[in-house]
């Protein structure tokens, strides 16, 4: 069961005394966010808005939506980060942990990987269980490395585009990754960023899932998009309008470099980068988006849509080189 740190929410409200608040969290957690919002109204008698748009993490808290509603505080739930507040303190990050057990899948994984050295990783919801899973794996003969945090990440934690603990564990001799959780989104990113075999411990279905093949398929698709974009003459360069995705400096750098290779570049800005929205834009052969690297690796598009690592690899190809291991990095921005 997912448990939100509602005590933190209530403490902040008591300290700041806002006339209204807003709350949001990942899609799979919206029922719990709704319950937390109802609890705020019961306890304090103030409006508590649930921002029901998708939020992908600390880069996408929808601060503008909360401000448009006049909310005094925005509580972003379930994206545990090293920093507890963003936006000058306006956005308060609230922990939400899932207490489901990993005992059976950890024992199964230990049988599969006994004698090997693995990096143990997870997302925000399962951080408190890292110690127990590490003990279970080591009891089964697995050497476990827990990589130190970096950037916004705690030890053992990964985001969809940020993998510092995985990189550090790989440097410390890890031969494979073990990701605690059901999310193939996170696990495949770990596999791509390290180039190591990666297994997801899914406590909900009680299975150990090898995501290495999925990651390899994503790698091939990302490489194919690079070579398809090499023939493009006109590029749409997309800046994200979400608060953590306004990478204008990177966009302007890529525009200069593409123009130096004889390409025409049109600057675009979007909140949501989807295939349907891009189909409305004409006269563009390929796109580069600097908002979120997972948009390009995880979604199908009719025209090439490259992330920043892919765009840098494309420039190497345009200059007569090879794309290289463009996703083998601890951070994809």
């Amino acid at each position: 069961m997912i448990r939100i740190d509602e005590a933190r929410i209530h403490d902040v409200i008591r300290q700041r005394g806002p006339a209204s608040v807003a709350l949001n969290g990942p899609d799979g957690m919206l029922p719990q966010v709704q319950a937390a919002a109802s609890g705020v109204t019961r306890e304090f008698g103030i409006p508590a808005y649930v921002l029901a748009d998708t939020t992908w993490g600390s880069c996408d808290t929808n601060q503008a939506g909360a401000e448009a509603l006049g909310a005094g505080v925005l509580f972003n739930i379930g994206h545990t980060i090293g920093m507890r507040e963003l936006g000058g303190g306006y956005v308060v990050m609230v922990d939400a942990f899932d207490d489901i057990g990993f005992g059976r899948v950890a024992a199964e994984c230990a049988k599969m990987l006994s004698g090997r050295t693995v990096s143990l990783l997870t997302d925000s919801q399962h951080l408190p269980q890292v110690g127990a899973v590490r003990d279970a794996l080591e009891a089964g003969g697995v050497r476990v490395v827990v990589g130190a945090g970096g950037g916004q990440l705690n030890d053992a934690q990964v985001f969809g585009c940020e993998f510092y603990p995985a990189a550090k564990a790989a440097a410390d001799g890890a031969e494979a990754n073990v990701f605690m959780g059901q999310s193939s989104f996170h696990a495949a990113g770990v596999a791509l960023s390290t180039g190591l075999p990666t297994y997801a411990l899914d406590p909900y279905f009680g299975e150990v899932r090898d995501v290495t093949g999925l990651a390899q398929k994503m790698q091939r698709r990302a490489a194919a998009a690079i070579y398809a974009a090499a023939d493009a003459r006109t590029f749409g360069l997309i800046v994200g309008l979400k608060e953590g995705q306004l990478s204008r400096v990177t966009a302007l750098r890529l525009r200069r470099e593409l123009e130096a290779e004889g390409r025409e570049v049109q600057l675009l800005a979007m909140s949501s980068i989807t295939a349907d929205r891009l189909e409305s834009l004409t006269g563009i052969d390929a796109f580069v988006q600097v908002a979120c690297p997972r948009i390009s690796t995880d979604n199908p598009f009719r025209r090439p849509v490259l992330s920043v690592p892919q765009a840098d690899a494309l420039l190497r190809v345009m200059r007569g080189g090879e794309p290289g291991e463009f996703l083998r990095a601890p951070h994809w921005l």
Side-chain angles (χ1 to χ4, degrees):
M1 178 184 294
I2 294 174
R3 302 185 185 278
I4 293 173
D5 186 1
E6 294 188 49
R8 174 165 169 75
I9 296 173
H10 292 191
D11 286 346
V12 170
I13 293 172
R14 290 189 188 97
Q15 292 165 12
R16 302 190 188 182
S20 65
V21 300
L23 304 88
N24 62 358
D27 287 354
M29 207 177 291
L30 276 178
Q32 290 83 3
V33 175
Q34 289 177 268
S38 297
V40 166
T41 298
R42 283 195 304 271
E43 180 72 17
F44 299 99
I46 61 174
Y49 299 96
V50 175
L51 305 184
D53 287 336
T54 298
T55 170
W56 291 100
S58 57
C59 68
D60 179 22
T61 61
N62 200 0
Q63 181 176 336
E67 290 174 339
L69 293 167
V73 185
L74 168 57
F75 296 101
N76 184 264
I77 296 168
H79 292 124
T80 302
I81 62 174
M83 298 178 293
R84 301 302 299 275
E85 296 182 356
L86 300 172
Y90 181 72
V91 181
V92 176
M93 310 301 288
V94 177
D95 292 340
F97 297 127
D98 192 334
D99 60 6
I100 190 168
F102 282 83
R104 186 157 65 89
V105 287
E108 182 181 343
C109 183
K111 291 178 184 177
M112 293 172 56
L113 300 177
S114 182
R116 301 182 68 183
T117 299
V118 306
S119 168
L120 185 60
L121 303 151
T122 191
D123 57 13
S124 301
Q125 276 68 62
H126 302 296
L127 281 171
Q129 291 133 302
V130 168
V133 173
R134 178 177 189 165
D135 290 345
L137 292 175
E138 290 180 338
V142 179
R143 177 177 177 257
V144 178
V145 180
V146 175
Q152 301 182 82
L153 301 175
N154 298 285
D155 293 354
Q157 183 185 14
V158 294
F159 284 171
C161 65
E162 203 167 353
F163 312 100
Y164 291 107
K168 291 174 183 176
D172 198 26
E175 304 166 80
N177 301 304
V178 173
F179 175 82
M180 297 165 48
Q182 192 175 43
S183 174
S184 294
F185 171 81
H186 290 88
V190 167
L192 287 166
S193 71
T194 60
L196 296 176
T198 300
Y199 304 87
L201 304 191
D202 185 342
Y204 306 95
F205 284 94
E207 64 181 13
V208 180
R209 190 168 62 252
D210 187 344
V211 300
T212 310
L214 170 63
Q216 291 170 343
K217 180 179 179 181
M218 292 168 64
Q219 174 79 26
R220 289 192 296 270
R221 189 168 63 215
I226 291 169
Y227 283 105
D231 295 326
R233 304 310 305 172
T234 60
F235 282 83
L237 213 162
I238 306 169
V239 177
L241 291 177
K242 296 178 179 180
E243 60 270 21
Q245 300 179 359
L246 283 164
S247 302
R248 288 169 292 184
V249 172
T250 300
L252 294 175
R253 189 259 301 174
L254 290 171
R255 182 185 68 167
R256 288 193 301 271
E257 295 195 55
L258 286 168
E259 288 178 341
E261 297 302 319
R263 270 54 172 192
E264 181 181 344
V265 178
Q266 182 169 37
L267 293 174
L268 306 166
M270 303 173 70
S271 295
S272 296
I273 303 169
T274 65
D276 288 343
R277 293 303 304 152
L278 296 188
E279 285 305 301
S280 302
L281 298 165
T282 61
I284 295 172
D285 301 320
F287 296 90
V288 173
Q289 57 84 21
V290 300
C292 168
R294 296 306 294 260
I295 291 170
S296 298
T297 59
D298 292 43
N299 299 286
F301 294 97
R302 293 182 184 176
R303 287 172 282 183
V305 180
L306 307 187
S307 64
V308 174
Q310 287 172 288
D312 286 329
L314 170 66
L315 288 164
R316 290 193 290 272
V317 170
M318 287 179 172
R319 294 161 183 161
E322 296 295 325
E325 297 288 344
F326 54 92
L327 293 178
R328 193 78 60 84
H331 195 183
W332 285 351
L333 291 176

mmCIF file of all heavy atoms in Angstrom, residues 68-111:
data_model
loop_
_atom_site.group_PDB
_atom_site.id
_atom_site.type_symbol
_atom_site.label_atom_id
_atom_site.label_comp_id
_atom_site.label_asym_id
_atom_site.label_seq_id
_atom_site.Cartn_x
_atom_site.Cartn_y
_atom_site.Cartn_z
ATOM 1 N N ALA A 68 -1.835 29.525 -11.080
ATOM 2 C CA ALA A 68 -3.038 30.035 -11.749
ATOM 3 C C ALA A 68 -4.275 29.874 -10.871
ATOM 4 O O ALA A 68 -5.210 30.683 -10.939
ATOM 5 C CB ALA A 68 -3.238 29.322 -13.083
ATOM 6 N N LEU A 69 -4.272 28.840 -10.039
ATOM 7 C CA LEU A 69 -5.386 28.607 -9.115
ATOM 8 C C LEU A 69 -5.296 29.451 -7.856
ATOM 9 O O LEU A 69 -6.222 29.449 -7.035
ATOM 10 C CB LEU A 69 -5.432 27.123 -8.725
ATOM 11 C CG LEU A 69 -5.791 26.145 -9.846
ATOM 12 C CD1 LEU A 69 -5.483 24.712 -9.418
ATOM 13 C CD2 LEU A 69 -7.258 26.278 -10.226
ATOM 14 N N GLY A 70 -4.185 30.155 -7.670
ATOM 15 C CA GLY A 70 -3.993 30.954 -6.469
ATOM 16 C C GLY A 70 -3.606 30.136 -5.254
ATOM 17 O O GLY A 70 -3.721 30.618 -4.116
ATOM 18 N N ALA A 71 -3.129 28.900 -5.470
ATOM 19 C CA ALA A 71 -2.728 28.054 -4.347
ATOM 20 C C ALA A 71 -1.480 28.612 -3.677
ATOM 21 O O ALA A 71 -0.540 29.036 -4.351
ATOM 22 C CB ALA A 71 -2.462 26.623 -4.816
ATOM 23 N N GLY A 72 -1.458 28.611 -2.341
ATOM 24 C CA GLY A 72 -0.320 29.151 -1.612
ATOM 25 C C GLY A 72 0.873 28.226 -1.581
ATOM 26 O O GLY A 72 2.015 28.675 -1.432
ATOM 27 N N VAL A 73 0.629 26.928 -1.726
ATOM 28 C CA VAL A 73 1.689 25.918 -1.735
ATOM 29 C C VAL A 73 1.288 24.831 -2.725
ATOM 30 O O VAL A 73 0.104 24.478 -2.832
ATOM 31 C CB VAL A 73 1.895 25.274 -0.345
ATOM 32 C CG1 VAL A 73 3.087 24.306 -0.371
ATOM 33 C CG2 VAL A 73 2.076 26.306 0.737
ATOM 34 N N LEU A 74 2.268 24.283 -3.434
ATOM 35 C CA LEU A 74 2.053 23.098 -4.256
ATOM 36 C C LEU A 74 2.818 21.936 -3.639
ATOM 37 O O LEU A 74 4.036 22.018 -3.456
ATOM 38 C CB LEU A 74 2.547 23.335 -5.686
ATOM 39 C CG LEU A 74 2.650 22.093 -6.585
ATOM 40 C CD1 LEU A 74 1.314 21.370 -6.704
ATOM 41 C CD2 LEU A 74 3.178 22.464 -7.969
ATOM 42 N N PHE A 75 2.103 20.866 -3.324
ATOM 43 C CA PHE A 75 2.715 19.653 -2.801
ATOM 44 C C PHE A 75 2.834 18.644 -3.936
ATOM 45 O O PHE A 75 1.830 18.146 -4.444
ATOM 46 C CB PHE A 75 1.874 19.062 -1.665
ATOM 47 C CG PHE A 75 1.778 19.952 -0.455
ATOM 48 C CD1 PHE A 75 0.643 20.721 -0.235
ATOM 49 C CD2 PHE A 75 2.821 20.029 0.459
ATOM 50 C CE1 PHE A 75 0.541 21.547 0.879
ATOM 51 C CE2 PHE A 75 2.736 20.851 1.576
ATOM 52 C CZ PHE A 75 1.593 21.614 1.780
ATOM 53 N N ASN A 76 4.074 18.364 -4.358
ATOM 54 C CA ASN A 76 4.319 17.356 -5.378
ATOM 55 C C ASN A 76 4.684 16.064 -4.662
ATOM 56 O O ASN A 76 5.690 15.981 -3.961
ATOM 57 C CB ASN A 76 5.434 17.792 -6.322
ATOM 58 C CG ASN A 76 5.643 16.796 -7.446
ATOM 59 O OD1 ASN A 76 6.507 15.936 -7.364
ATOM 60 N ND2 ASN A 76 4.843 16.903 -8.493
ATOM 61 N N ILE A 77 3.869 15.049 -4.853
ATOM 62 C CA ILE A 77 3.934 13.838 -4.038
ATOM 63 C C ILE A 77 4.559 12.683 -4.823
ATOM 64 O O ILE A 77 4.246 12.478 -5.995
ATOM 65 C CB ILE A 77 2.516 13.452 -3.564
ATOM 66 C CG1 ILE A 77 1.954 14.558 -2.651
ATOM 67 C CG2 ILE A 77 2.515 12.115 -2.845
ATOM 68 C CD1 ILE A 77 0.486 14.425 -2.350
ATOM 69 N N GLY A 78 5.464 11.958 -4.173
ATOM 70 C CA GLY A 78 5.949 10.712 -4.727
ATOM 71 C C GLY A 78 7.185 10.801 -5.585
ATOM 72 O O GLY A 78 7.595 9.808 -6.192
ATOM 73 N N HIS A 79 7.819 11.993 -5.660
ATOM 74 C CA HIS A 79 9.060 12.132 -6.432
ATOM 75 C C HIS A 79 10.186 12.521 -5.472
ATOM 76 O O HIS A 79 10.732 13.610 -5.547
ATOM 77 C CB HIS A 79 8.904 13.179 -7.524
ATOM 78 C CG HIS A 79 7.952 12.780 -8.600
ATOM 79 N ND1 HIS A 79 6.858 13.534 -8.950
ATOM 80 C CD2 HIS A 79 7.911 11.680 -9.394
ATOM 81 C CE1 HIS A 79 6.198 12.935 -9.926
ATOM 82 N NE2 HIS A 79 6.818 11.805 -10.215
ATOM 83 N N THR A 80 10.486 11.627 -4.560
ATOM 84 C CA THR A 80 11.479 11.885 -3.530
ATOM 85 C C THR A 80 12.801 12.319 -4.144
ATOM 86 O O THR A 80 13.345 11.645 -5.022
ATOM 87 C CB THR A 80 11.713 10.605 -2.704
ATOM 88 O OG1 THR A 80 10.467 10.204 -2.148
ATOM 89 C CG2 THR A 80 12.702 10.859 -1.596
ATOM 90 N N ILE A 81 13.317 13.451 -3.707
ATOM 91 C CA ILE A 81 14.601 13.936 -4.196
ATOM 92 C C ILE A 81 15.430 14.421 -3.022
ATOM 93 O O ILE A 81 14.917 14.628 -1.918
ATOM 94 C CB ILE A 81 14.433 15.078 -5.219
ATOM 95 C CG1 ILE A 81 13.743 16.297 -4.583
ATOM 96 C CG2 ILE A 81 13.663 14.605 -6.441
ATOM 97 C CD1 ILE A 81 13.671 17.499 -5.506
ATOM 98 N N GLY A 82 16.723 14.609 -3.278
ATOM 99 C CA GLY A 82 17.607 15.112 -2.229
ATOM 100 C C GLY A 82 17.194 16.489 -1.746
ATOM 101 O O GLY A 82 17.289 16.808 -0.567
ATOM 102 N N MET A 83 16.718 17.327 -2.682
ATOM 103 C CA MET A 83 16.194 18.645 -2.308
ATOM 104 C C MET A 83 14.724 18.486 -1.947
ATOM 105 O O MET A 83 13.972 17.840 -2.660
ATOM 106 C CB MET A 83 16.336 19.632 -3.467
ATOM 107 C CG MET A 83 17.759 19.883 -3.891
ATOM 108 S SD MET A 83 17.855 21.017 -5.304
ATOM 109 C CE MET A 83 17.107 20.018 -6.591
ATOM 110 N N ARG A 84 14.288 19.112 -0.867
ATOM 111 C CA ARG A 84 12.903 18.941 -0.419
ATOM 112 C C ARG A 84 11.970 20.029 -0.921
ATOM 113 O O ARG A 84 10.763 19.898 -0.820
ATOM 114 C CB ARG A 84 12.853 18.891 1.109
ATOM 115 C CG ARG A 84 13.674 17.787 1.742
ATOM 116 C CD ARG A 84 13.257 16.414 1.243
ATOM 117 N NE ARG A 84 11.892 16.086 1.547
ATOM 118 C CZ ARG A 84 11.485 15.554 2.701
ATOM 119 N NH1 ARG A 84 12.357 15.288 3.653
ATOM 120 N NH2 ARG A 84 10.214 15.270 2.903
ATOM 121 N N GLU A 85 12.515 21.123 -1.449
ATOM 122 C CA GLU A 85 11.679 22.206 -1.947
ATOM 123 C C GLU A 85 12.248 22.725 -3.266
ATOM 124 O O GLU A 85 13.458 22.709 -3.492
ATOM 125 C CB GLU A 85 11.585 23.343 -0.924
ATOM 126 C CG GLU A 85 10.899 22.932 0.378
ATOM 127 C CD GLU A 85 10.770 24.083 1.363
ATOM 128 O OE1 GLU A 85 11.287 25.172 1.065
ATOM 129 O OE2 GLU A 85 10.141 23.884 2.412
ATOM 130 N N LEU A 86 11.347 23.180 -4.131
ATOM 131 C CA LEU A 86 11.721 23.746 -5.419
ATOM 132 C C LEU A 86 10.976 25.061 -5.609
ATOM 133 O O LEU A 86 10.068 25.393 -4.841
ATOM 134 C CB LEU A 86 11.364 22.782 -6.556
ATOM 135 C CG LEU A 86 12.010 21.383 -6.538
ATOM 136 C CD1 LEU A 86 11.384 20.509 -7.610
ATOM 137 C CD2 LEU A 86 13.506 21.484 -6.733
ATOM 138 N N GLY A 87 11.331 25.789 -6.658
ATOM 139 C CA GLY A 87 10.607 27.015 -6.977
ATOM 140 C C GLY A 87 10.650 28.033 -5.856
ATOM 141 O O GLY A 87 9.633 28.677 -5.559
ATOM 142 N N GLY A 88 11.819 28.164 -5.209
ATOM 143 C CA GLY A 88 11.919 29.122 -4.119
ATOM 144 C C GLY A 88 11.114 28.739 -2.892
ATOM 145 O O GLY A 88 10.764 29.594 -2.073
ATOM 146 N N GLY A 89 10.818 27.453 -2.752
ATOM 147 C CA GLY A 89 10.038 26.976 -1.610
ATOM 148 C C GLY A 89 8.564 26.825 -1.899
ATOM 149 O O GLY A 89 7.821 26.288 -1.069
ATOM 150 N N TYR A 90 8.128 27.270 -3.080
ATOM 151 C CA TYR A 90 6.698 27.171 -3.410
ATOM 152 C C TYR A 90 6.277 25.716 -3.603
ATOM 153 O O TYR A 90 5.183 25.316 -3.215
ATOM 154 C CB TYR A 90 6.407 27.977 -4.680
ATOM 155 C CG TYR A 90 4.957 27.961 -5.091
ATOM 156 C CD1 TYR A 90 4.002 28.669 -4.366
ATOM 157 C CD2 TYR A 90 4.537 27.239 -6.197
ATOM 158 C CE1 TYR A 90 2.666 28.649 -4.726
ATOM 159 C CE2 TYR A 90 3.205 27.216 -6.575
ATOM 160 C CZ TYR A 90 2.274 27.923 -5.835
ATOM 161 O OH TYR A 90 0.941 27.895 -6.199
ATOM 162 N N VAL A 91 7.140 24.911 -4.221
ATOM 163 C CA VAL A 91 6.843 23.493 -4.439
ATOM 164 C C VAL A 91 7.507 22.682 -3.331
ATOM 165 O O VAL A 91 8.726 22.726 -3.166
ATOM 166 C CB VAL A 91 7.349 23.016 -5.813
ATOM 167 C CG1 VAL A 91 6.998 21.546 -6.020
ATOM 168 C CG2 VAL A 91 6.769 23.877 -6.929
ATOM 169 N N VAL A 92 6.705 21.962 -2.581
ATOM 170 C CA VAL A 92 7.201 21.119 -1.493
ATOM 171 C C VAL A 92 7.107 19.661 -1.946
ATOM 172 O O VAL A 92 6.026 19.178 -2.306
ATOM 173 C CB VAL A 92 6.381 21.339 -0.204
ATOM 174 C CG1 VAL A 92 6.835 20.384 0.896
ATOM 175 C CG2 VAL A 92 6.504 22.787 0.266
ATOM 176 N N MET A 93 8.245 18.977 -1.947
ATOM 177 C CA MET A 93 8.292 17.575 -2.351
ATOM 178 C C MET A 93 7.932 16.696 -1.158
ATOM 179 O O MET A 93 8.523 16.824 -0.074
ATOM 180 C CB MET A 93 9.672 17.207 -2.880
ATOM 181 C CG MET A 93 10.229 18.157 -3.944
ATOM 182 S SD MET A 93 9.201 18.317 -5.419
ATOM 183 C CE MET A 93 9.486 16.722 -6.196
ATOM 184 N N VAL A 94 6.966 15.823 -1.364
ATOM 185 C CA VAL A 94 6.437 14.992 -0.274
ATOM 186 C C VAL A 94 6.681 13.521 -0.598
ATOM 187 O O VAL A 94 6.349 13.051 -1.694
ATOM 188 C CB VAL A 94 4.926 15.243 -0.081
ATOM 189 C CG1 VAL A 94 4.358 14.337 1.005
ATOM 190 C CG2 VAL A 94 4.669 16.713 0.253
ATOM 191 N N ASP A 95 7.245 12.800 0.350
ATOM 192 C CA ASP A 95 7.526 11.382 0.151
ATOM 193 C C ASP A 95 6.238 10.563 0.090
ATOM 194 O O ASP A 95 5.249 10.874 0.757
ATOM 195 C CB ASP A 95 8.384 10.837 1.298
ATOM 196 C CG ASP A 95 9.786 11.416 1.308
ATOM 197 O OD1 ASP A 95 10.228 11.915 0.261
ATOM 198 O OD2 ASP A 95 10.434 11.369 2.371
ATOM 199 N N ALA A 96 6.294 9.499 -0.698
ATOM 200 C CA ALA A 96 5.227 8.498 -0.716
ATOM 201 C C ALA A 96 5.887 7.155 -0.941
ATOM 202 O O ALA A 96 6.552 6.954 -1.969
ATOM 203 C CB ALA A 96 4.214 8.801 -1.807
ATOM 204 N N PHE A 97 5.752 6.264 -0.006
ATOM 205 C CA PHE A 97 6.432 4.975 -0.085
ATOM 206 C C PHE A 97 5.426 3.842 -0.155
ATOM 207 O O PHE A 97 4.345 3.907 0.445
ATOM 208 C CB PHE A 97 7.344 4.783 1.127
ATOM 209 C CG PHE A 97 8.463 5.790 1.205
ATOM 210 C CD1 PHE A 97 8.664 6.541 2.356
ATOM 211 C CD2 PHE A 97 9.306 5.996 0.134
ATOM 212 C CE1 PHE A 97 9.688 7.468 2.434
ATOM 213 C CE2 PHE A 97 10.339 6.923 0.196
ATOM 214 C CZ PHE A 97 10.528 7.661 1.351
ATOM 215 N N ASP A 98 5.797 2.790 -0.885
ATOM 216 C CA ASP A 98 4.970 1.595 -1.028
ATOM 217 C C ASP A 98 5.554 0.516 -0.124
ATOM 218 O O ASP A 98 6.737 0.173 -0.242
ATOM 219 C CB ASP A 98 4.983 1.144 -2.489
ATOM 220 C CG ASP A 98 3.931 0.093 -2.777
ATOM 221 O OD1 ASP A 98 3.543 -0.629 -1.849
ATOM 222 O OD2 ASP A 98 3.509 -0.011 -3.951
ATOM 223 N N ASP A 99 4.730 -0.024 0.773
ATOM 224 C CA ASP A 99 5.253 -0.990 1.748
ATOM 225 C C ASP A 99 5.122 -2.450 1.296
ATOM 226 O O ASP A 99 5.282 -3.364 2.105
ATOM 227 C CB ASP A 99 4.579 -0.794 3.108
ATOM 228 C CG ASP A 99 3.059 -0.979 3.047
ATOM 229 O OD1 ASP A 99 2.541 -1.379 1.976
ATOM 230 O OD2 ASP A 99 2.395 -0.711 4.070
ATOM 231 N N ILE A 100 4.850 -2.685 0.017
ATOM 232 C CA ILE A 100 4.764 -4.059 -0.465
ATOM 233 C C ILE A 100 6.103 -4.769 -0.271
ATOM 234 O O ILE A 100 7.170 -4.163 -0.403
ATOM 235 C CB ILE A 100 4.347 -4.092 -1.955
ATOM 236 C CG1 ILE A 100 4.012 -5.522 -2.377
ATOM 237 C CG2 ILE A 100 5.417 -3.481 -2.844
ATOM 238 C CD1 ILE A 100 3.321 -5.612 -3.729
ATOM 239 N N GLY A 101 6.064 -6.050 0.048
ATOM 240 C CA GLY A 101 7.283 -6.804 0.326
ATOM 241 C C GLY A 101 7.940 -7.372 -0.924
ATOM 242 O O GLY A 101 7.273 -7.683 -1.915
ATOM 243 N N PHE A 102 9.265 -7.519 -0.869
ATOM 244 C CA PHE A 102 10.041 -8.067 -1.981
ATOM 245 C C PHE A 102 10.612 -9.450 -1.660
ATOM 246 O O PHE A 102 11.439 -9.952 -2.412
ATOM 247 C CB PHE A 102 11.210 -7.132 -2.305
ATOM 248 C CG PHE A 102 10.838 -5.915 -3.099
ATOM 249 C CD1 PHE A 102 10.333 -4.792 -2.464
ATOM 250 C CD2 PHE A 102 11.002 -5.884 -4.474
ATOM 251 C CE1 PHE A 102 10.005 -3.658 -3.186
ATOM 252 C CE2 PHE A 102 10.673 -4.762 -5.205
ATOM 253 C CZ PHE A 102 10.164 -3.641 -4.567
ATOM 254 N N GLY A 103 10.190 -10.045 -0.547
ATOM 255 C CA GLY A 103 10.841 -11.261 -0.081
ATOM 256 C C GLY A 103 10.929 -12.367 -1.112
ATOM 257 O O GLY A 103 12.010 -12.923 -1.371
ATOM 258 N N ARG A 104 9.803 -12.727 -1.734
ATOM 259 C CA ARG A 104 9.789 -13.851 -2.668
ATOM 260 C C ARG A 104 10.596 -13.563 -3.928
ATOM 261 O O ARG A 104 11.381 -14.398 -4.374
ATOM 262 C CB ARG A 104 8.343 -14.198 -3.035
ATOM 263 C CG ARG A 104 8.213 -15.450 -3.881
ATOM 264 C CD ARG A 104 6.820 -16.050 -3.735
ATOM 265 N NE ARG A 104 5.798 -15.174 -4.270
ATOM 266 C CZ ARG A 104 5.386 -15.198 -5.546
ATOM 267 N NH1 ARG A 104 5.958 -16.033 -6.407
ATOM 268 N NH2 ARG A 104 4.429 -14.410 -5.961
ATOM 269 N N VAL A 105 10.423 -12.368 -4.503
ATOM 270 C CA VAL A 105 11.152 -12.081 -5.750
ATOM 271 C C VAL A 105 12.639 -11.873 -5.476
ATOM 272 O O VAL A 105 13.481 -12.185 -6.324
ATOM 273 C CB VAL A 105 10.562 -10.860 -6.491
ATOM 274 C CG1 VAL A 105 9.243 -11.200 -7.125
ATOM 275 C CG2 VAL A 105 10.444 -9.651 -5.591
ATOM 276 N N ALA A 106 12.983 -11.367 -4.292
ATOM 277 C CA ALA A 106 14.404 -11.210 -3.960
ATOM 278 C C ALA A 106 15.078 -12.573 -3.833
ATOM 279 O O ALA A 106 16.215 -12.764 -4.296
ATOM 280 C CB ALA A 106 14.553 -10.414 -2.664
ATOM 281 N N ALA A 107 14.375 -13.543 -3.229
ATOM 282 C CA ALA A 107 14.935 -14.898 -3.107
ATOM 283 C C ALA A 107 15.098 -15.546 -4.470
ATOM 284 O O ALA A 107 16.109 -16.220 -4.745
ATOM 285 C CB ALA A 107 14.026 -15.749 -2.220
ATOM 286 N N GLU A 108 14.119 -15.330 -5.360
ATOM 287 C CA GLU A 108 14.210 -15.876 -6.712
ATOM 288 C C GLU A 108 15.375 -15.255 -7.482
ATOM 289 O O GLU A 108 16.121 -15.942 -8.181
ATOM 290 C CB GLU A 108 12.897 -15.622 -7.454
ATOM 291 C CG GLU A 108 12.872 -16.193 -8.863
ATOM 292 C CD GLU A 108 11.562 -15.891 -9.576
ATOM 293 O OE1 GLU A 108 10.582 -15.530 -8.900
ATOM 294 O OE2 GLU A 108 11.538 -16.010 -10.820
ATOM 295 N N CYS A 109 15.542 -13.952 -7.307
ATOM 296 C CA CYS A 109 16.637 -13.254 -7.981
ATOM 297 C C CYS A 109 17.985 -13.746 -7.477
ATOM 298 O O CYS A 109 18.935 -13.905 -8.255
ATOM 299 C CB CYS A 109 16.494 -11.755 -7.760
ATOM 300 S SG CYS A 109 17.716 -10.754 -8.613
ATOM 301 N N ALA A 110 18.078 -13.991 -6.173
ATOM 302 C CA ALA A 110 19.335 -14.481 -5.606
ATOM 303 C C ALA A 110 19.732 -15.828 -6.213
ATOM 304 O O ALA A 110 20.920 -16.080 -6.481
ATOM 305 C CB ALA A 110 19.206 -14.590 -4.091
ATOM 306 N N LYS A 111 18.763 -16.695 -6.476
ATOM 307 C CA LYS A 111 19.061 -17.982 -7.114
ATOM 308 C C LYS A 111 19.602 -17.779 -8.525
ATOM 309 O O LYS A 111 20.514 -18.476 -8.967
ATOM 310 C CB LYS A 111 17.798 -18.844 -7.157
ATOM 311 C CG LYS A 111 17.316 -19.330 -5.803
ATOM 312 C CD LYS A 111 16.027 -20.131 -5.952
ATOM 313 C CE LYS A 111 15.476 -20.552 -4.596
ATOM 314 N NZ LYS A 111 14.185 -21.266 -4.752
#
